[in-house]
Every structure is written in C-alpha cells, then in structure tokens.
Amino acid sequence: MNIPHLFNVLLLFFICILSSCNRPPPKTEQVILYTSVDEPVARPIIQEFERQTGISVIFRTDAESTKTAGLAERLEAEKANPQADVWWSNEPFHTINLAQQKVLAPYASPSASRIPAEFKDKGNFWAGTSLRMRVLAVSPKSKPIHSIFDLSDPSLRSKICISRPIAGTAKGHIAVLYTAMGRENFQKYLTGLRDNQIRLVGGNSIVAELVGSGQMLAGITDNDDVDAAAREGGKLEMVLPDQGPNEMGALAVPCTVGLVAGAAHEANAKKLIDYLLSQTVEYQLIDRHFARYSVLNPAANVKFMQVDYAQAAANMKDAVELSLKILEGR
C-alpha cells in the first residue's frame, strides 16, 4: 500500500471515530408512571415489565398520608403540560374524577376485554383489576365485631379508629357510605362514631398498627394493612364486615389504570397499561396480599356492597366535608 493511500485510509478512519463520538447516544425507551400502589409492591412488577420489554419505567409514588390524593392533584395541576404517561391507582374514585376532568385519555386495552363492565369505564378512560377490601381490624381483646355499625358500641368507647378520610381508600369509603346511606343516615352514623370518641389517624397502616399493638380495639382499614401488621407480630384479626343477610356487605375497591391525556410516550404507555391490567399482574397483587380477590372471580362466599363508583366519586367532596365537620367537631 503506497503512503498517500495509507494516509487517506487513516484519515477516513479518524473521521469515522470523530463522527461517532459526536453522534448522540440512542434514546432509551421509557415511560413515566404515577402510582399510589405501595412502592414495595409496585417495584418488582415494574422491574419485570422492564425486563420483558426493555422499556425503562420512571415512577413516582405517594406518601401514606396523602395516598392517591396527592398524585391525583399533581396530575390535575400538570394537565396543560403532562409529565406522566400512565396513572396506576389503588382505588377508582380519583381515577373517575380525573377521567371526567379530561386528565385521562381513552384507550381500549386488549387486557381490559376480560374485565367485567362494573369494573371499567364505558368510554375506556380506565379499567379496574385486583379487588382490595375495606375490612375491620379487630383486637383479640375486643368483643366480637361483625359490622362497621358495631363501632358505636359503648364498650369500645375511645378504643376505635379510622384513617382521617382525606386520602386513599378511606376517602373513597366515606363517599360510598354517603352514597349508599343517604345524607341523613350517614350523618347519624358519623355522629355515633364521634360520640363513641373515634380516633382519626394518619393512614390505614396506622389503624392496623394501633389495633395490633392493643392500643385500640378495632378500626376500619384495608386488607393489606391488616396482613402487614400481622406479619410484624401484631395481634389482630381481619373481619369482612356486614356479611349478614340484611347487611350491606363489604366494600371492594379495584385498582385502576388509565392513560394520561397528552402522554409523551404514548406507545410505551399503552404497553405498560396492557401489562398492568394483565391477569398475571392481578395475581401478583393478590399473592403479595395487596389485593384480595380477582375481578374475574370475586368469591362466591363473600357479600360485596353494591356500589355505584361513579356516583360515589361525584359525592366524594361533600362526603369528606361532612365527615370532617362531624368527626372533628368543626
């Protein structure tokens, strides 16, 4: 090889190297998720999605004291400039309100085709899976308790508690009771709890911890919080309330998933939604005791409340204001 030709080859080689150095690195496939599902439960599910798809998931979670409400408010505030792509909630009520405010966009996920109509939006703005349960946490020191109305029993005076109903499932439960009972009966129920000196605490997990430690005799909380308290050595039982023939039944709360309107990573967002609504993920949530029943097989031996989730979501603001006024003596 003559010297001029060798020079040209080396020059071309160095030009290629320099152009490669200046070329921007390939963009990593990603999707941004806001979720109120507990981080220790959500993380391994998300990691498996990343492993299967190669899509990186950036996700934001909520604090216990502002569960669901904090991120829902953030989504509303970001509506004009969305920062998230997918909303994965531990309840349906804020999701319904987000859909009505056009914070969410319609998407008919193939995974949602198996989900019963009562657990998904007619316009495909959201779909629900993995039923969580509102339950009674009961101390072995307590007399038998089978109903949320038993919390007004004078023998439990000053030894009952609930999460302050400003966030998460506690807030949604209040809205459901308001809707199911009607305003007058709802007021009477709350007045009975107030007169029995119910204690408002900063989260559902705290309800379970207080009952498990014997500081409280009973409270209303979520199934996963009772399970967690029991695993930590707490002495408490989980009771599905109001299972009698003339009683209202226990409240089932589906987790919900929706596409954020204006999502910057829409294609990846839809892949994540398909995954989160899959039966595999539903069973994982149940196996990890975050949820208790499948939307496909809610359990024939359990009496569930008949719930209009949309109406409860619409009543949530009034229900919360009234409950705080009564329970906090405002």
Side-chain angles (χ1 to χ4, degrees):
M1 180 181 293
N2 58 44
I3 292 176
H5 183 67
L6 177 61
F7 176 79
N8 289 335
V9 170
L10 291 173
L11 180 62
L12 181 62
F13 175 72
F14 283 113
I15 289 173
C16 290
I17 290 176
L18 290 173
S19 63
S20 297
C21 291
N22 292 329
R23 186 182 303 132
K27 291 183 179 179
T28 302
E29 289 289 304
Q30 70 176 26
V31 63
I32 300 173
L33 170 70
Y34 285 6
T35 181
S36 57
V37 173
D38 293 349
E39 192 271 343
V41 175
R43 184 168 293 280
I45 291 172
I46 295 306
Q47 288 174 337
E48 178 58 21
F49 171 79
E50 291 178 319
R51 187 192 70 78
Q52 290 185 20
T53 64
I55 298 171
S56 175
V57 181
I58 301 168
F59 70 104
R60 309 277 185 261
T61 57
D62 235 334
E64 173 71 15
S65 60
T66 60
K67 208 63 167 177
T68 314
L71 281 177
E73 290 173 0
R74 181 171 175 175
L75 282 169
E76 288 183 51
E78 295 171 351
K79 181 178 177 180
N81 183 27
Q83 301 301 302
D85 301 307
V86 176
W87 168 238
W88 184 21
S89 177
N90 69 352
E91 50 92 272
F93 308 104
H94 285 89
T95 301
I96 291 169
N97 286 333
L98 287 171
Q100 291 177 344
Q101 293 159 16
K102 306 302 181 185
V103 176
L104 302 181
Y107 171 53
S109 169
S111 298
S113 62
R114 67 183 179 87
I115 296 172
E118 61 265 35
F119 299 125
K120 60 185 176 183
D121 180 66
K122 293 179 181 178
N124 297 314
F125 283 91
W126 59 269
T129 182
S130 311
L131 298 176
R132 306 175 70 218
M133 299 300 298
R134 291 292 287 171
V135 302
L136 291 166
V138 181
S139 168
K141 299 177 182 179
S142 171
K143 62 182 293 185
I145 298 175
H146 302 290
S147 169
I148 62 170
F149 297 95
D150 292 341
L151 297 180
S152 298
D153 189 309
S155 67
L156 302 175
R157 187 178 179 84
S158 76
K159 293 293 183 179
I160 52 175
C161 57
I162 59 171
S163 175
R164 191 166 179 262
I166 58 171
T169 51
K171 185 177 182 181
H173 197 180
I174 285 292
V176 169
L177 294 176
Y178 177 100
T179 304
M181 294 180 183
R183 186 180 179 89
E184 184 176 346
N185 288 330
F186 180 69
Q187 286 179 289
K188 290 178 181 178
Y189 171 67
L190 292 181
T191 300
L193 295 181
R194 181 200 63 198
D195 292 347
N196 217 27
Q197 297 184 6
I198 194 166
R199 179 174 170 184
L200 302 183
V201 300
N204 289 311
S205 62
I206 298 174
V207 171
E209 290 166 6
L210 289 172
V211 174
S213 67
Q215 297 178 63
M216 293 281 128
L217 293 178
I220 304 174
T221 186
D222 294 332
N223 62 274
D224 59 305
D225 295 299
V226 175
D227 279 325
R231 285 197 302 272
E232 294 296 320
K235 305 298 182 184
L236 73 171
E237 298 177 356
M238 182 190 304
V239 177
L240 289 173
D242 300 288
Q243 295 297 292
N246 297 317
E247 294 179 317
M248 68 172 62
L251 174 60
V253 182
C255 297
T256 51
V257 184
L259 174 67
V260 176
H265 310 95
E266 184 174 319
N268 290 341
K270 290 179 178 179
K271 292 177 183 178
L272 179 56
I273 290 170
D274 295 344
Y275 182 74
L276 294 177
L277 290 176
S278 69
Q279 200 162 9
T280 298
V281 169
E282 182 178 54
Y283 286 158
Q284 287 176 334
L285 291 173
I286 294 170
D287 288 343
R288 293 186 173 105
H289 301 283
F290 186 72
R292 193 166 178 86
Y293 302 111
S294 166
V295 292
L296 300 181
N297 183 25
N301 62 338
V302 175
K303 185 174 185 179
F304 294 89
M305 284 189 74
Q306 298 300 305
V307 181
D308 184 334
Y309 293 105
Q311 188 58 56
N315 290 338
M316 191 157 58
K317 184 175 183 293
D318 289 341
V320 169
E321 289 178 353
L322 180 58
S323 65
L324 292 177
K325 179 180 179 180
I326 294 173
L327 296 176
E328 294 184 339
R330 295 182 178 181

